[in-house]
Structures are given as C-alpha cells and as structure tokens.
Amino acid sequence: AGGPAQAAGIKAGDAIVSIDGESMEGASAEVVAAKCRGESDGKLEVEIRREEDGKTKRLTLTRANVNANAASTSTYTSDSGNKVGVLKLPSFSTETATQIVNGIRSMSNEGPVDAIAIDLRGNVGGYMPAGVDAAKLFLPPRAHIIAEVDKGGQIKAYDADGIGAETATPVYLLVDGRTASAAEIFTAALQDNRRALVIGSKTFGKGRIQNVQPLENGTGVAV
C-alpha cells in the first residue's frame, strides 16, 4: 500500500496488459515484476484492464523505493472470547521467515493467542525457498514440504529439519485466486500435514519454479 502503483490508480485485481508498449499477455508474475523494476524516479507506461468491467486504461507510474514485502500483524477477540492473531503476508522474500517469527512474538506480547490466521490473499509468491522456510516454522521435524523435479527426472525433496517456532496453536490460512507460487507451496505444506485449515477460494495453481535472469541490455529471461 502507498507505492507507485497505488499512487497511479492501479487497484487489486487489475490485469497488466502491457508495459512501455510491450505486451504482458501470458507473462509470469516474475517477468512482469522484472519489467517494472528500474531507477528510482524513472517513468514507465502501464496499460491495465479493470477487473470489474474489462475496460483498459493507460497509466504513468513513477518508480520509487518501496518495502513491498513487509508483513503486518494485528489481534482481535472473537465473539466466543478467543484471541486471534492475524498475520498478513503480501509476498515471500528472504526476510519472510524472520517476519513471521517476529509477528508471532508481537501478537503474543499481551498473552498467548488461541489461533493464528495468516492472510495470503493477493500474495503472488516471490522467492520459492522462502515458502519452504516459512512452512518449516509451523511443522515438526521430517514433515514433507515439497518435491522439486528437474527436466531429467531428478527429485529434490524439501522436508522440515527442526522444531518449528509455532507447532501447537491452531492455524488458519486465508487464500484467493491471486494466491500463487511460494504462497501455494506454504499453503499446501501446512494443509497436507494437517497443520492448518485453508479458507477461501481456489488458488492460482502455478506448478512451475521460475527465476528471472538479467541480461546485459537491461532485459531479463525467465527460466
């Protein structure tokens, strides 16, 4: 919130059609993000399609340094008197695991919570290993998280390797159609190990692991 996209009038649910005249139809989130990056105060032209009416609109964005990965926490008391801690994760980065640990500590400052709700709505993922590391915080040793299969058929398994930071308090995961990538890895790991109850609509369904490799001319290639 409060970044260049919001300042230019982009809303949650808008689809990016093109950036600086280059079509983004069918492009992954990583490719779109790479095209948006650049020098602070630089300009880029973005064409978006509104979710509510399908109309397109061209907007000018001014790049700025933003902390797009910051997690936020809050607590509330339910009608039944239970204290619920809410952790909002907008994306997954190298700082996410630390943010989760700090968030759990913060929400428990005035006594333990009875449940933890993790809001992953609109979380398109990010750094894949961060999804694995986040899952480890809630799972017991040797719990299976994900298996990665390369083009040669070689399998690399990721399992929980220690006692998680929080393995007892009930966990609820809030998801929607824009929950994707590392966020889906995290969600599936907790659901498959019966550690969390998933609430919401069908997630995006991304089954690939991609990274954007920068090229010398300033462009990038997703592999």
Side-chain angles (χ1 to χ4, degrees), residues 131-198:
V132 174
D133 291 340
K136 291 179 180 179
L137 298 176
F138 296 91
L139 297 173
R142 295 181 296 279
H144 181 61
I145 297 174
I146 188 176
E148 181 181 326
V149 183
D150 65 20
K151 64 180 181 180
Q154 295 297 311
I155 299 175
K156 181 179 180 180
Y158 295 86
D159 299 324
D161 52 14
I163 300 297
E166 178 52 76
T167 58
T169 305
V171 176
Y172 299 87
L173 304 178
L174 308 179
V175 301
D176 64 10
R178 293 189 294 274
T179 304
S181 192
E184 289 178 298
I185 290 173
F186 174 74
T187 299
L190 268 61
Q191 183 181 51
D192 290 351
N193 285 285
R194 300 184 178 181
R195 180 63 187 89
L197 178 65
V198 180

Side-chain angles (χ1 to χ4, degrees), residues 95-130:
E95 293 83 28
T96 298
T98 299
Q99 291 176 351
I100 291 174
V101 172
N102 291 339
I104 293 174
R105 288 173 180 168
S106 175
M107 65 179 64
S108 303
N109 281 341
E110 298 179 4
V113 296
D114 299 300
I116 298 172
I118 302 178
D119 191 349
L120 298 168
R121 291 174 297 181
N123 186 322
V124 297
Y127 184 53
M128 188 280 285

Side-chain angles (χ1 to χ4, degrees), residues 63-82:
R63 294 185 178 96
N65 294 320
V66 296
N67 185 3
N69 301 316
S72 60
T73 59
S74 60
T75 59
Y76 75 94
T77 303
S78 67
D79 293 339
S80 59
N82 291 323

Side-chain angles (χ1 to χ4, degrees), residues 207-220:
R208 298 173 296 171
I209 297 174
Q210 290 179 297
N211 289 301
V212 176
Q213 300 297 324
L215 302 177
E216 292 181 356
N217 62 0
T219 62

Side-chain angles (χ1 to χ4, degrees), residues 8-29:
I10 295 179
K11 304 175 183 178
D14 288 347
I16 295 179
V17 178
S18 67
I19 298 175
D20 287 336
E22 181 180 345
S23 174
M24 292 291 110
E25 296 283 1
S28 68

